[in-house]
């Protein structure tokens, strides 16, 4: 057996002996510390003080005990994002939070001001998640005027692009603008500060889908000037089925899920206490590790990009996330939100939160956005951690379809995703890639590799070896 054959056999042994999970942007594995924090509230531990399974809306001891844990989790999450606890509304995840924001805010504005004063147009970036784009289509079917804001080739919504979209159809006032904090396919981090300011200057409210962003880079809703933001726990090692909508105090909103009036009447339904506790614990862990983990994943991502580009001429990057020399937008002290200076604070038994000085000061404000002049500026509004999220790499492999590559990589022990989905027997190219100007045929050959807390350097090396075999 030749040396090359020996190496290939060793690679095959390695890839089949242990699964390598590289799709953390889809969902991150539940962290052990999070599971341990959740167990008492699932009724699975006899040590729970009264009974962790209680319904948080009931008046007896089990319910009061559950309510205490729920509110402690709410306070912990609010402190991290710079909000007041009553501005955090728990829901089932990022999709529901996005739907709530789009439909609930528009309905609330219409109820409060009517279409003449409240506006009749809604704008969203063309690279938003379907959880924003589908509610946008529903609004259009309901009589609203809608529009998409075009990104540039690197995946960013520029102030100029938003300005042009706001100015279009000047006879119609814009009610709401939605731009994701970070894109789920290519990782581009948007300049939210400047975009929110532009929207507010035109009298529009501003929402951001921050599902991919939370826990990866500093994020402070008041510093960024947001009226609403969507979050989900399972992208940062928390449980599935729990998310939250930040809704700035006094923002018009009409509840979309009706029933018993939980969550201050903004989202009815029995609250997921264990999920909320797990969400808070995952966010705490992510915040403590944020800076070091961002540096580690950035290094692994850049190493992976370089290795794949050197491997085969058919591989190209959808966008190049690697920072050019001296290309960072700001120093750490100038970051768009200051969570890196965090200290621990216990908010309830078993739940701690790392609270930054900036988040603490922001949480003292009961309502209203900071004026633009009071917020820390950066060159383009992204944080100092980079213009792209550290753990996402999108590649194009000429001549091969995403689905075939995903299946072949799965067979040898690797989990990655593509920018296209199989629908009715045909591959539909990613709307994100098409919005960037990637040709339709090329967009059907994309792989998204997303790294996470459990990703090691040997996983990167093994994946490059698997790609070499796939392309041989």
């Amino acid at each position: 057996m030749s040396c090359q054959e020996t190496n290939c056999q060793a690679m095959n042994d390695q890839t089949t002996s242990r699964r390598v999970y590289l799709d953390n942007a889809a969902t991150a594995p539940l962290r052990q510390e999070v599971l341990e924090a959740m167990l008492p509230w699932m009724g699975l531990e006899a040590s729970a003080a009264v009974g962790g399974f209680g319904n948080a809306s009931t008046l007896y001891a089990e319910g009061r005990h559950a309510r205490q844990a729920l509110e402690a989790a709410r306070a912990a999450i609010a402190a991290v994002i710079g909000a007041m606890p009553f501005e955090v509304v728990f829901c089932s995840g990022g999709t529901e939070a996005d739907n709530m924001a789009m439909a609930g805010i528009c309905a609330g504005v219409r109820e409060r001001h009517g279409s003449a004063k409240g506006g009749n147009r809604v704008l969203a970036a063309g690279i938003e998640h379907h959880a924003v784009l589908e509610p946008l289509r529903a609004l259009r079917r309901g009589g609203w005027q809608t529009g998409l804001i075009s990104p540039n080739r690197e995946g960013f919504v520029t102030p100029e692009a938003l300005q042009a979209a706001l100015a279009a159809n000047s006879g119609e006032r814009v009610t709401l603008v939605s731009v994701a904090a970070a894109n789920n396919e290519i990782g581009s981090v948007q300049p939210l500060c400047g975009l929110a300011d532009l929207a507010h200057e035109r009298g529009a409210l501003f929402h951001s889908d921050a599902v991919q962003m939370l826990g990866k880079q500093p994020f402070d809703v008041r510093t960024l000037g947001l009226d609403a933001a969507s979050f989900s726990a399972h992208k940062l090692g928390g449980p599935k089925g729990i998310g939250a909508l930040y809704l700035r105090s006094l923002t018009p909103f009409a509840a979309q899920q009706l029933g018993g009036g939980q969550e201050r009447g903004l989202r009815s339904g029995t609250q997921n206490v264990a999920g909320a506790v797990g969400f808070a614990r995952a966010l705490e862990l992510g915040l403590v590790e944020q800076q070091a983990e961002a540096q580690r994943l950035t290094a692994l991502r850049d190493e992976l990009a370089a290795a794949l580009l050197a491997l085969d001429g058919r591989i190209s990057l959808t966008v190049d996330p690697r920072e050019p020399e001296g290309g960072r937008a700001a120093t750490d002290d100038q970051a768009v939100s200051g969570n890196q200076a965090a200290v621990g604070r216990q908010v309830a038994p078993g739940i701690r939160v790392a609270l930054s000085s900036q988040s603490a000061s922001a949480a003292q404000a009961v309502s209203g956005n900071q004026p633009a002049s009071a917020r820390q500026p950066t060159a383009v509004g992204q944080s100092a951690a980079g213009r792209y999220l550290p753990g996402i790499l999108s590649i194009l492999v000429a001549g091969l379809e995403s689905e075939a590559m995903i299946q072949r990589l799965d067979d040898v022990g690797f989990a990655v995703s593509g920018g296209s989905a199989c629908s009715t027997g045909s591959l539909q190219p990613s709307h994100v890639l098409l919005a960037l100007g990637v040709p339709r045929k090329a967009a059907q050959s994309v792989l998204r590799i997303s790294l996470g807390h459990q990703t090691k350097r040997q996983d990167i090396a093994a994946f490059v070896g698997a790609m070499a075999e796939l392309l041989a």
Side-chain angles (χ1 to χ4, degrees), residues 350-381:
I351 301 178
R352 293 181 60 84
V353 60
L355 178 63
S356 73
S357 58
Q358 183 168 350
S359 293
S361 62
Q364 293 171 0
V366 174
S367 64
N369 288 313
Q370 285 182 292
S373 59
R375 297 200 293 270
Q376 291 177 300
T378 66
V380 291

PDB file of all heavy atoms in Angstrom, residues 350-381:
ATOM      1  N   GLY A 350     -28.868  29.738  41.732  1.00  0.00           N
ATOM      2  CA  GLY A 350     -28.519  28.881  40.615  1.00  0.00           C
ATOM      3  C   GLY A 350     -28.369  29.578  39.292  1.00  0.00           C
ATOM      4  O   GLY A 350     -27.991  28.965  38.310  1.00  0.00           O
ATOM      5  N   ILE A 351     -28.698  30.869  39.225  1.00  0.00           N
ATOM      6  CA  ILE A 351     -28.598  31.604  37.963  1.00  0.00           C
ATOM      7  C   ILE A 351     -27.727  32.826  38.168  1.00  0.00           C
ATOM      8  O   ILE A 351     -28.006  33.678  39.005  1.00  0.00           O
ATOM      9  CB  ILE A 351     -29.983  32.037  37.444  1.00  0.00           C
ATOM     10  CG1 ILE A 351     -30.879  30.822  37.234  1.00  0.00           C
ATOM     11  CG2 ILE A 351     -29.857  32.846  36.164  1.00  0.00           C
ATOM     12  CD1 ILE A 351     -32.265  31.160  36.767  1.00  0.00           C
ATOM     13  N   ARG A 352     -26.638  32.885  37.423  1.00  0.00           N
ATOM     14  CA  ARG A 352     -25.747  34.037  37.456  1.00  0.00           C
ATOM     15  C   ARG A 352     -25.731  34.664  36.075  1.00  0.00           C
ATOM     16  O   ARG A 352     -26.019  34.026  35.075  1.00  0.00           O
ATOM     17  CB  ARG A 352     -24.309  33.629  37.834  1.00  0.00           C
ATOM     18  CG  ARG A 352     -24.170  33.137  39.253  1.00  0.00           C
ATOM     19  CD  ARG A 352     -22.723  32.782  39.555  1.00  0.00           C
ATOM     20  NE  ARG A 352     -21.844  33.932  39.405  1.00  0.00           N
ATOM     21  CZ  ARG A 352     -21.643  34.845  40.354  1.00  0.00           C
ATOM     22  NH1 ARG A 352     -22.276  34.741  41.497  1.00  0.00           N
ATOM     23  NH2 ARG A 352     -20.817  35.847  40.148  1.00  0.00           N
ATOM     24  N   VAL A 353     -25.375  35.931  36.031  1.00  0.00           N
ATOM     25  CA  VAL A 353     -25.260  36.607  34.750  1.00  0.00           C
ATOM     26  C   VAL A 353     -24.045  37.500  34.773  1.00  0.00           C
ATOM     27  O   VAL A 353     -23.727  38.113  35.787  1.00  0.00           O
ATOM     28  CB  VAL A 353     -26.527  37.434  34.429  1.00  0.00           C
ATOM     29  CG1 VAL A 353     -26.768  38.495  35.473  1.00  0.00           C
ATOM     30  CG2 VAL A 353     -26.399  38.102  33.060  1.00  0.00           C
ATOM     31  N   ALA A 354     -23.327  37.524  33.648  1.00  0.00           N
ATOM     32  CA  ALA A 354     -22.217  38.443  33.504  1.00  0.00           C
ATOM     33  C   ALA A 354     -22.784  39.756  32.991  1.00  0.00           C
ATOM     34  O   ALA A 354     -23.326  39.832  31.893  1.00  0.00           O
ATOM     35  CB  ALA A 354     -21.184  37.891  32.526  1.00  0.00           C
ATOM     36  N   LEU A 355     -22.704  40.787  33.791  1.00  0.00           N
ATOM     37  CA  LEU A 355     -23.336  42.063  33.490  1.00  0.00           C
ATOM     38  C   LEU A 355     -22.276  43.111  33.249  1.00  0.00           C
ATOM     39  O   LEU A 355     -21.428  43.364  34.098  1.00  0.00           O
ATOM     40  CB  LEU A 355     -24.232  42.481  34.657  1.00  0.00           C
ATOM     41  CG  LEU A 355     -24.951  43.818  34.567  1.00  0.00           C
ATOM     42  CD1 LEU A 355     -25.914  43.795  33.390  1.00  0.00           C
ATOM     43  CD2 LEU A 355     -25.694  44.109  35.846  1.00  0.00           C
ATOM     44  N   SER A 356     -22.293  43.722  32.089  1.00  0.00           N
ATOM     45  CA  SER A 356     -21.311  44.746  31.773  1.00  0.00           C
ATOM     46  C   SER A 356     -21.717  46.074  32.370  1.00  0.00           C
ATOM     47  O   SER A 356     -22.879  46.325  32.672  1.00  0.00           O
ATOM     48  CB  SER A 356     -21.181  44.902  30.256  1.00  0.00           C
ATOM     49  OG  SER A 356     -22.303  45.546  29.734  1.00  0.00           O
ATOM     50  N   SER A 357     -20.745  46.956  32.537  1.00  0.00           N
ATOM     51  CA  SER A 357     -21.052  48.289  33.040  1.00  0.00           C
ATOM     52  C   SER A 357     -21.969  49.017  32.088  1.00  0.00           C
ATOM     53  O   SER A 357     -22.861  49.757  32.499  1.00  0.00           O
ATOM     54  CB  SER A 357     -19.752  49.074  33.244  1.00  0.00           C
ATOM     55  OG  SER A 357     -19.028  49.151  32.022  1.00  0.00           O
ATOM     56  N   GLN A 358     -21.778  48.829  30.785  1.00  0.00           N
ATOM     57  CA  GLN A 358     -22.627  49.497  29.815  1.00  0.00           C
ATOM     58  C   GLN A 358     -24.040  48.939  29.863  1.00  0.00           C
ATOM     59  O   GLN A 358     -25.015  49.682  29.824  1.00  0.00           O
ATOM     60  CB  GLN A 358     -22.055  49.341  28.403  1.00  0.00           C
ATOM     61  CG  GLN A 358     -22.876  50.085  27.357  1.00  0.00           C
ATOM     62  CD  GLN A 358     -22.156  50.159  26.044  1.00  0.00           C
ATOM     63  OE1 GLN A 358     -20.985  49.828  25.946  1.00  0.00           O
ATOM     64  NE2 GLN A 358     -22.843  50.609  25.025  1.00  0.00           N
ATOM     65  N   SER A 359     -24.162  47.586  29.952  1.00  0.00           N
ATOM     66  CA  SER A 359     -25.488  46.998  30.033  1.00  0.00           C
ATOM     67  C   SER A 359     -26.185  47.442  31.314  1.00  0.00           C
ATOM     68  O   SER A 359     -27.387  47.677  31.329  1.00  0.00           O
ATOM     69  CB  SER A 359     -25.387  45.479  30.000  1.00  0.00           C
ATOM     70  OG  SER A 359     -24.933  45.036  28.746  1.00  0.00           O
ATOM     71  N   ALA A 360     -25.427  47.556  32.413  1.00  0.00           N
ATOM     72  CA  ALA A 360     -26.024  47.978  33.666  1.00  0.00           C
ATOM     73  C   ALA A 360     -26.596  49.375  33.563  1.00  0.00           C
ATOM     74  O   ALA A 360     -27.712  49.653  34.012  1.00  0.00           O
ATOM     75  CB  ALA A 360     -24.978  47.914  34.788  1.00  0.00           C
ATOM     76  N   SER A 361     -25.850  50.284  32.959  1.00  0.00           N
ATOM     77  CA  SER A 361     -26.349  51.640  32.821  1.00  0.00           C
ATOM     78  C   SER A 361     -27.542  51.691  31.879  1.00  0.00           C
ATOM     79  O   SER A 361     -28.498  52.432  32.103  1.00  0.00           O
ATOM     80  CB  SER A 361     -25.240  52.571  32.317  1.00  0.00           C
ATOM     81  OG  SER A 361     -24.786  52.167  31.042  1.00  0.00           O
ATOM     82  N   ALA A 362     -27.501  50.879  30.822  1.00  0.00           N
ATOM     83  CA  ALA A 362     -28.611  50.858  29.886  1.00  0.00           C
ATOM     84  C   ALA A 362     -29.873  50.329  30.557  1.00  0.00           C
ATOM     85  O   ALA A 362     -30.978  50.799  30.306  1.00  0.00           O
ATOM     86  CB  ALA A 362     -28.272  50.005  28.667  1.00  0.00           C
ATOM     87  N   ALA A 363     -29.691  49.334  31.439  1.00  0.00           N
ATOM     88  CA  ALA A 363     -30.841  48.728  32.084  1.00  0.00           C
ATOM     89  C   ALA A 363     -31.509  49.656  33.082  1.00  0.00           C
ATOM     90  O   ALA A 363     -32.608  49.384  33.552  1.00  0.00           O
ATOM     91  CB  ALA A 363     -30.412  47.435  32.791  1.00  0.00           C
ATOM     92  N   GLN A 364     -30.874  50.775  33.437  1.00  0.00           N
ATOM     93  CA  GLN A 364     -31.469  51.733  34.347  1.00  0.00           C
ATOM     94  C   GLN A 364     -32.512  52.594  33.651  1.00  0.00           C
ATOM     95  O   GLN A 364     -33.349  53.216  34.294  1.00  0.00           O
ATOM     96  CB  GLN A 364     -30.385  52.621  34.961  1.00  0.00           C
ATOM     97  CG  GLN A 364     -29.444  51.857  35.887  1.00  0.00           C
ATOM     98  CD  GLN A 364     -28.265  52.701  36.307  1.00  0.00           C
ATOM     99  OE1 GLN A 364     -28.146  53.845  35.905  1.00  0.00           O
ATOM    100  NE2 GLN A 364     -27.398  52.131  37.116  1.00  0.00           N
ATOM    101  N   ALA A 365     -32.450  52.660  32.320  1.00  0.00           N
ATOM    102  CA  ALA A 365     -33.414  53.475  31.588  1.00  0.00           C
ATOM    103  C   ALA A 365     -34.714  52.701  31.436  1.00  0.00           C
ATOM    104  O   ALA A 365     -34.717  51.559  31.020  1.00  0.00           O
ATOM    105  CB  ALA A 365     -32.855  53.845  30.215  1.00  0.00           C
ATOM    106  N   VAL A 366     -35.823  53.305  31.754  1.00  0.00           N
ATOM    107  CA  VAL A 366     -37.095  52.601  31.696  1.00  0.00           C
ATOM    108  C   VAL A 366     -37.593  52.486  30.270  1.00  0.00           C
ATOM    109  O   VAL A 366     -38.166  51.492  29.874  1.00  0.00           O
ATOM    110  CB  VAL A 366     -38.144  53.313  32.577  1.00  0.00           C
ATOM    111  CG1 VAL A 366     -39.518  52.688  32.407  1.00  0.00           C
ATOM    112  CG2 VAL A 366     -37.734  53.267  34.022  1.00  0.00           C
ATOM    113  N   SER A 367     -37.381  53.490  29.451  1.00  0.00           N
ATOM    114  CA  SER A 367     -37.866  53.427  28.077  1.00  0.00           C
ATOM    115  C   SER A 367     -37.115  54.409  27.224  1.00  0.00           C
ATOM    116  O   SER A 367     -36.416  55.289  27.724  1.00  0.00           O
ATOM    117  CB  SER A 367     -39.369  53.745  28.022  1.00  0.00           C
ATOM    118  OG  SER A 367     -39.591  55.070  28.439  1.00  0.00           O
ATOM    119  N   GLY A 368     -37.259  54.221  25.893  1.00  0.00           N
ATOM    120  CA  GLY A 368     -36.703  55.157  24.928  1.00  0.00           C
ATOM    121  C   GLY A 368     -35.317  54.793  24.489  1.00  0.00           C
ATOM    122  O   GLY A 368     -34.533  54.197  25.230  1.00  0.00           O
ATOM    123  N   ASN A 369     -34.978  55.154  23.257  1.00  0.00           N
ATOM    124  CA  ASN A 369     -33.645  54.911  22.717  1.00  0.00           C
ATOM    125  C   ASN A 369     -32.698  55.992  23.172  1.00  0.00           C
ATOM    126  O   ASN A 369     -33.078  57.141  23.390  1.00  0.00           O
ATOM    127  CB  ASN A 369     -33.684  54.928  21.187  1.00  0.00           C
ATOM    128  CG  ASN A 369     -34.363  53.705  20.633  1.00  0.00           C
ATOM    129  OD1 ASN A 369     -34.060  52.604  21.057  1.00  0.00           O
ATOM    130  ND2 ASN A 369     -35.283  53.893  19.700  1.00  0.00           N
ATOM    131  N   GLN A 370     -31.417  55.623  23.280  1.00  0.00           N
ATOM    132  CA  GLN A 370     -30.411  56.654  23.460  1.00  0.00           C
ATOM    133  C   GLN A 370     -30.340  57.495  22.198  1.00  0.00           C
ATOM    134  O   GLN A 370     -30.475  56.980  21.097  1.00  0.00           O
ATOM    135  CB  GLN A 370     -29.032  56.013  23.669  1.00  0.00           C
ATOM    136  CG  GLN A 370     -28.828  55.396  25.039  1.00  0.00           C
ATOM    137  CD  GLN A 370     -27.432  54.842  25.122  1.00  0.00           C
ATOM    138  OE1 GLN A 370     -27.102  53.873  24.455  1.00  0.00           O
ATOM    139  NE2 GLN A 370     -26.600  55.466  25.918  1.00  0.00           N
ATOM    140  N   PRO A 371     -30.115  58.790  22.330  1.00  0.00           N
ATOM    141  CA  PRO A 371     -29.894  59.569  21.113  1.00  0.00           C
ATOM    142  C   PRO A 371     -28.631  59.109  20.420  1.00  0.00           C
ATOM    143  O   PRO A 371     -27.710  58.591  21.052  1.00  0.00           O
ATOM    144  CB  PRO A 371     -29.742  61.008  21.645  1.00  0.00           C
ATOM    145  CG  PRO A 371     -29.335  60.850  23.080  1.00  0.00           C
ATOM    146  CD  PRO A 371     -30.011  59.596  23.556  1.00  0.00           C
ATOM    147  N   ALA A 372     -28.590  59.306  19.109  1.00  0.00           N
ATOM    148  CA  ALA A 372     -27.449  58.837  18.334  1.00  0.00           C
ATOM    149  C   ALA A 372     -26.148  59.418  18.848  1.00  0.00           C
ATOM    150  O   ALA A 372     -25.112  58.766  18.866  1.00  0.00           O
ATOM    151  CB  ALA A 372     -27.648  59.191  16.861  1.00  0.00           C
ATOM    152  N   SER A 373     -26.194  60.648  19.316  1.00  0.00           N
ATOM    153  CA  SER A 373     -24.970  61.305  19.784  1.00  0.00           C
ATOM    154  C   SER A 373     -24.417  60.684  21.045  1.00  0.00           C
ATOM    155  O   SER A 373     -23.247  60.845  21.377  1.00  0.00           O
ATOM    156  CB  SER A 373     -25.248  62.794  20.037  1.00  0.00           C
ATOM    157  OG  SER A 373     -26.275  62.923  21.020  1.00  0.00           O
ATOM    158  N   ALA A 374     -25.271  59.932  21.782  1.00  0.00           N
ATOM    159  CA  ALA A 374     -24.821  59.331  23.036  1.00  0.00           C
ATOM    160  C   ALA A 374     -24.244  57.948  22.858  1.00  0.00           C
ATOM    161  O   ALA A 374     -23.716  57.377  23.787  1.00  0.00           O
ATOM    162  CB  ALA A 374     -25.999  59.265  24.031  1.00  0.00           C
ATOM    163  N   ARG A 375     -24.341  57.395  21.663  1.00  0.00           N
ATOM    164  CA  ARG A 375     -23.878  56.039  21.437  1.00  0.00           C
ATOM    165  C   ARG A 375     -22.456  56.041  20.911  1.00  0.00           C
ATOM    166  O   ARG A 375     -22.034  56.955  20.221  1.00  0.00           O
ATOM    167  CB  ARG A 375     -24.804  55.326  20.442  1.00  0.00           C
ATOM    168  CG  ARG A 375     -26.214  55.192  20.996  1.00  0.00           C
ATOM    169  CD  ARG A 375     -26.955  54.097  20.272  1.00  0.00           C
ATOM    170  NE  ARG A 375     -27.202  54.416  18.878  1.00  0.00           N
ATOM    171  CZ  ARG A 375     -28.272  55.038  18.433  1.00  0.00           C
ATOM    172  NH1 ARG A 375     -29.174  55.462  19.283  1.00  0.00           N
ATOM    173  NH2 ARG A 375     -28.458  55.265  17.152  1.00  0.00           N
ATOM    174  N   GLN A 376     -21.737  54.960  21.233  1.00  0.00           N
ATOM    175  CA  GLN A 376     -20.356  54.868  20.800  1.00  0.00           C
ATOM    176  C   GLN A 376     -20.283  54.621  19.303  1.00  0.00           C
ATOM    177  O   GLN A 376     -20.835  53.656  18.805  1.00  0.00           O
ATOM    178  CB  GLN A 376     -19.661  53.719  21.534  1.00  0.00           C
ATOM    179  CG  GLN A 376     -19.452  53.986  23.012  1.00  0.00           C
ATOM    180  CD  GLN A 376     -18.833  52.790  23.683  1.00  0.00           C
ATOM    181  OE1 GLN A 376     -19.393  51.717  23.692  1.00  0.00           O
ATOM    182  NE2 GLN A 376     -17.662  52.972  24.239  1.00  0.00           N
ATOM    183  N   PRO A 377     -19.585  55.458  18.560  1.00  0.00           N
ATOM    184  CA  PRO A 377     -19.512  55.250  17.118  1.00  0.00           C
ATOM    185  C   PRO A 377     -18.397  54.286  16.752  1.00  0.00           C
ATOM    186  O   PRO A 377     -17.427  54.118  17.478  1.00  0.00           O
ATOM    187  CB  PRO A 377     -19.199  56.650  16.586  1.00  0.00           C
ATOM    188  CG  PRO A 377     -18.385  57.268  17.687  1.00  0.00           C
ATOM    189  CD  PRO A 377     -18.926  56.701  18.973  1.00  0.00           C
ATOM    190  N   THR A 378     -18.536  53.635  15.607  1.00  0.00           N
ATOM    191  CA  THR A 378     -17.441  52.918  14.983  1.00  0.00           C
ATOM    192  C   THR A 378     -17.432  53.309  13.521  1.00  0.00           C
ATOM    193  O   THR A 378     -18.315  54.009  13.045  1.00  0.00           O
ATOM    194  CB  THR A 378     -17.610  51.386  15.093  1.00  0.00           C
ATOM    195  OG1 THR A 378     -18.747  51.006  14.329  1.00  0.00           O
ATOM    196  CG2 THR A 378     -17.778  50.931  16.522  1.00  0.00           C
ATOM    197  N   ALA A 379     -16.456  52.828  12.789  1.00  0.00           N
ATOM    198  CA  ALA A 379     -16.337  53.234  11.393  1.00  0.00           C
ATOM    199  C   ALA A 379     -17.582  52.872  10.589  1.00  0.00           C
ATOM    200  O   ALA A 379     -18.097  53.668   9.822  1.00  0.00           O
ATOM    201  CB  ALA A 379     -15.108  52.581  10.765  1.00  0.00           C
ATOM    202  N   VAL A 380     -18.083  51.645  10.751  1.00  0.00           N
ATOM    203  CA  VAL A 380     -19.252  51.237   9.992  1.00  0.00           C
ATOM    204  C   VAL A 380     -20.354  50.667  10.870  1.00  0.00           C
ATOM    205  O   VAL A 380     -21.397  50.292  10.385  1.00  0.00           O
ATOM    206  CB  VAL A 380     -18.872  50.189   8.915  1.00  0.00           C
ATOM    207  CG1 VAL A 380     -18.045  50.811   7.824  1.00  0.00           C
ATOM    208  CG2 VAL A 380     -18.118  49.019   9.532  1.00  0.00           C
ATOM    209  N   GLY A 381     -20.127  50.599  12.175  1.00  0.00           N
ATOM    210  CA  GLY A 381     -21.163  50.107  13.067  1.00  0.00           C
ATOM    211  C   GLY A 381     -20.979  48.675  13.510  1.00  0.00           C
ATOM    212  O   GLY A 381     -21.626  48.244  14.436  1.00  0.00           O
TER     213      GLY A 381
END
